[in-house]
Every structure is written in C-alpha cells, then in structure tokens.
Amino acid sequence: MTNEIKNRIVSGMRPTGKLHLGHYFGVLKNWINLQKEFESFFFIADWHALTTKYNQTDDMKKNVEDVLLDWLASGIDPEISTIYLQSLVPETAQLHIYLSMITPQNWVERDPTLKDLAKIMKDKQENISNLSYGLFGYPVLMSADIMLFNSNFVPVGIDQVAHVELTRDIARRFNNIYNVELFNEPQPKLTQTPLLKGLDGNKMGKSFNNDIKISDTPETTEKKFKSAITDRNRIRRDDKGNPDNCEVVFDYWKLFGSTDEQKEICEGCKMASIGCAECKKKLTAKINKYMAPIREKRQDLEKHPDYLKNIIYEGSKKAQIKAKEVLSKVEDAIKMYK
Ligand code: TRP
Ligand code: SF4
C-alpha cells in the first residue's frame, strides 16, 4: 500500500440547538460520505455562536451536546473523523490573532454575511455600532478554522462560499508577506442536495418553527406534517389536486418515496382518490421508518454522557496535535521569538 496522504477537509457548525432534516440531507449526509475519502475534521463552532449569542449562553452546553448527538447518530464516525470543539482547540484563537494582523479591514467589510447581519440588526432597530468586534472578526475566525489544518477542501453550503474565498485571499497574502509556501488555497466543496423547505413553504429553520428535527418522535413528526401547506386549490377532499402545486409535501415524497410511490401519490392526488390527510400520513410513516435507526441511536447515546464527553475531548486533543504543527510553522514564518 502506498503511503498516500489523503486530502484534508474541515467543516463546522454553530451549536444553536437540535438539528433538522435540512441539516441532515443538506450537510450531514455529505460529510458522512466525504469522511470515507478525506482526512476529516468536523468541529462545533462554539466561539462562532458567541459572536451573536454572547448574552444568551444558558443553553450552550446543551446545544453542544445536541449537535454532537445529532452528528454521531447520523453517522459521523469518531473512529475515522476528528470531531472536536472549537474552544477546546485554543490554537484556533492563536492563529486568528496572526491572521487578523494581515487581513485588511476592507476585506472583512466586503463579507456578504456580515452585510446581511448588519441589515438584520438595522431591521431590528439595533444600533449598527453594536456589531461587536468579535462578530466583525467572524470571517477571519473562520479562516483560522480552515487554515489551522491547512485544509484543501471545505464542504459548505453556497451561503458560506464567500468565507472560503476570503480564506484563500488570506492564505495567499500570508504566503506572500512572509515569503513561504505554507498554506494551501482551500476550495469550497459545494453541497449538491436540494434545499428542503420548511413545512410552511419558507426556508427551514428553527426560528420559524417549521422544521422536523432529526430527534423528533414519530408522533411529533406526524403532528407537524398535519399543518404542512398543500395545494391551495385543493380545499375539499374530492377536489382534484396537483403535486406540482404542493411543493413542500411532494418534495419530501421525492426524497423518501420510491419512483413508484411517487407516481402512485401523483396519480392519486390528481384523481382525488387519495386525500391530503392520508397522503401526509403515508409520507410521515416513510420518514419515521427512515429516521428510526438514527433516532434510536441518538436515544442510546444520550444515556452515555461520559462517552460523549470523551469523544469531544479525545477529538480535540487529536485536532490540537495537527494544529500545533501548523501554528509552529506560522510562528517560524513570522519569526516570532521562541
Ligand atoms: N460559518 C459556518 C456556518 O455558519 C460555520 C463555520 C465556522 C465553518 N467555521 C467554519 C464552516 C469553518 C466551515 C469551515 O455554517
Ligand atoms: Fe399534496 Fe398529497 Fe394533498 Fe396532493 S394529496 S395536494 S401531494 S398533500
């Protein structure tokens, strides 16, 4: 066997609570496939959560645990991937300091996510100057996450691509300024999966209360789907419907039903031989069946807090070994006193 070095990927999620099916199909399934092929670092970005939630920290521990449980239950494998907590790898903060010195302020100001956040603050009539120093540094902190392992690829959604591009700029600038070839220019690895909509037809998100959690019980899943929007023209049971006008429910059918089942539902809907209640009931049965092993595993893991803690600590230790190597090269390049 050749001693080939696998390409390295890194990606993170802010701990904001239990994950939903959008996370599972949009992000986690992708990570689960990638971890077989790449040397993978997956981390819980608790410092990034603090950039906006610095004054709402009561649930921090619970949120970290929930994310970890959702990851493990879904199939992120701590035997082959490095799973860690950002704040337990303080080398992140050290690299962030160095990168913040070489990053021009106007590069950060161009960041579209920051612009969005600034707009949200404005809409909430919060003073824009309340945008904290830490939040302002969000993209640089994210660059530190990525460069800490000198990663080649960053699996992210389209909304994060600008951040990875900034990381490339910072990596190139570091190499130029210190005249080294230390850092790769990491590439985003785009998630292909279609975005699952929330049950009300809007973007799925916990703040809209329109999501199905990975950890929801079958009963909750069924109950939530009862309120999902359907074809608005199909008001009574014997009205004929059209799945094309029933994006939400039928999108889930496309994901969870076989081609034959989709065809059957489509015909039944169009001929009014199946009602919406029955259609949704069948669908939630499929979803619940699919999710059952994941939910079971989650419940099982929940009973073993020591095991979970161990995964976080061991993973963070492992991440630190690699991070220290990179950081040491950074300090050599800058010619820090040692
Ligand atoms: N900003 C990302 C998000 O909100 C989370 C994140 C932080 C991240 N650091 C990262 C993702 C590094 C990829 C790589 O989803
Ligand atoms: Fe939508 Fe199903 Fe009702 Fe047709 S039967 S409108 S696909 S919920």
Side-chain angles (χ1 to χ4, degrees):
M1 235 178 87
T2 53
N3 205 5
E4 193 186 335
I5 299 174
K6 283 205 257 181
N7 275 320
R8 194 171 293 144
I9 59 169
V10 63
S11 199
M13 264 187 211
R14 282 168 297 148
T16 51
K18 291 178 170 146
L19 303 180
H20 53 59
L21 295 189
H23 293 119
Y24 178 75
F25 286 100
V27 185
L28 293 180
K29 278 195 85 147
N30 196 26
W31 289 7
I32 289 157
N33 283 327
L34 291 169
Q35 70 181 346
K36 298 174 198 142
E37 211 184 312
F38 293 90
E39 184 187 354
S40 307
F41 292 85
F42 299 122
F43 71 99
I44 301 173
D46 54 350
W47 280 336
H48 274 106
L50 279 185
T51 59
T52 53
K53 306 259 178 192
Y54 54 86
N55 57 356
Q56 299 156 52
T57 51
D58 288 347
D59 290 334
M60 182 66 102
K61 274 191 197 135
K62 170 108 187 55
N63 288 346
V64 168
E65 275 163 18
D66 274 329
V67 169
L68 180 65
L69 280 166
D70 284 329
W71 285 7
L72 295 174
S74 300
I76 307 288
D77 184 350
E79 297 290 323
I80 55 177
S81 297
T82 304
I83 298 172
Y84 73 95
L85 182 65
Q86 189 180 33
S87 62
L88 286 180
V89 182
E91 287 76 10
T92 310
Q94 289 174 275
L95 183 57
H96 175 242
I97 284 274
Y98 292 123
L99 299 185
S100 71
M101 303 302 167
I102 66 161
T103 305
Q105 184 163 325
N106 65 5
W107 287 14
V108 181
E109 278 162 357
R110 279 202 303 260
D111 186 272
T113 318
L114 273 185
K115 278 193 191 152
D116 287 352
L117 275 169
K119 190 174 170 301
I120 289 168
M121 289 185 83
K122 216 169 156 189
D123 292 347
K124 284 191 194 157
Q125 313 220 316
E126 281 180 44
N127 193 332
I128 193 74
S129 59
N130 282 348
L131 199 137
S132 76
Y133 174 62
L135 179 58
F136 201 70
Y138 189 108
V140 185
L141 182 57
M142 185 158 160
S143 300
D145 296 324
I146 297 167
M147 290 166 67
L148 194 58
F149 309 105
N150 211 354
S151 310
N152 315 81
F153 295 104
V154 190
V156 281
I158 189 94
D159 59 317
Q160 300 290 318
V161 167
H163 288 141
V164 182
E165 266 152 22
L166 176 71
T167 308
R168 295 164 63 81
D169 291 341
I170 296 178
R172 199 178 306 127
R173 188 169 162 86
F174 186 98
N175 290 347
N176 277 335
I177 290 175
Y178 299 110
N179 198 19
V180 286
E181 277 176 42
L182 206 174
F183 286 113
N184 298 318
E185 290 179 27
Q187 303 270 3
K189 208 168 177 50
L190 267 187
T191 307
Q192 297 297 340
T193 335
L195 218 68
L196 261 186
K197 288 215 176 74
L199 298 174
D200 55 2
N202 296 314
K203 183 176 183 267
M204 191 186 284
K206 72 168 195 166
S207 39
F208 309 118
N209 204 11
N210 63 0
D211 61 353
I212 304 284
K213 309 273 191 234
I214 293 175
S215 52
D216 274 343
T217 62
E219 294 73 33
T220 307
T221 306
E222 197 177 322
K223 197 170 139 222
K224 282 185 177 173
F225 256 98
K226 277 189 182 150
S227 66
I229 56 157
T230 54
D231 179 352
R232 288 182 198 284
N233 301 320
R234 194 173 183 200
I235 297 155
R236 283 165 311 172
R237 169 66 184 80
D238 50 2
D239 290 338
K240 289 181 174 153
N242 184 353
D244 290 342
N245 300 329
C246 185
E247 264 192 340
V248 173
V249 174
F250 207 65
D251 272 359
Y252 284 84
W253 266 116
K254 285 185 194 151
L255 203 55
F256 289 95
S258 66
T259 326
D260 282 350
E261 283 166 328
Q262 288 174 42
K263 232 172 103 190
E264 202 184 306
I265 292 295
C266 192
E267 279 165 14
C269 176
K270 284 182 173 161
M271 296 183 327
S273 61
I274 179 172
C276 292
E278 191 189 344
C279 170
K280 287 174 168 180
K281 215 176 155 88
K282 279 192 169 161
L283 173 63
T284 46
K286 299 276 316 175
I287 297 176
N288 287 332
K289 192 168 169 210
Y290 182 99
M291 296 306 291
I294 297 171
R295 288 167 169 170
E296 229 169 82
K297 187 167 172 194
R298 196 183 191 283
Q299 281 176 349
D300 231 40
L301 287 165
E302 227 175 337
K303 291 180 201 135
H304 300 100
D306 290 346
Y307 171 78
L308 296 174
K309 199 155 199 139
N310 194 47
I311 290 204
I312 286 275
Y313 271 85
E314 287 306 312
S316 300
K317 255 196 241 162
K318 218 169 113 196
Q320 270 188 297
I321 294 173
K322 187 70 224 168
K324 278 182 199 297
E325 272 174 35
V326 173
L327 192 64
S328 165
K329 285 184 191 158
V330 165
E331 287 171 342
D332 286 345
I334 305 177
K335 303 191 180 69
M336 297 305 289
Y337 180 92
K338 271 190 176 164

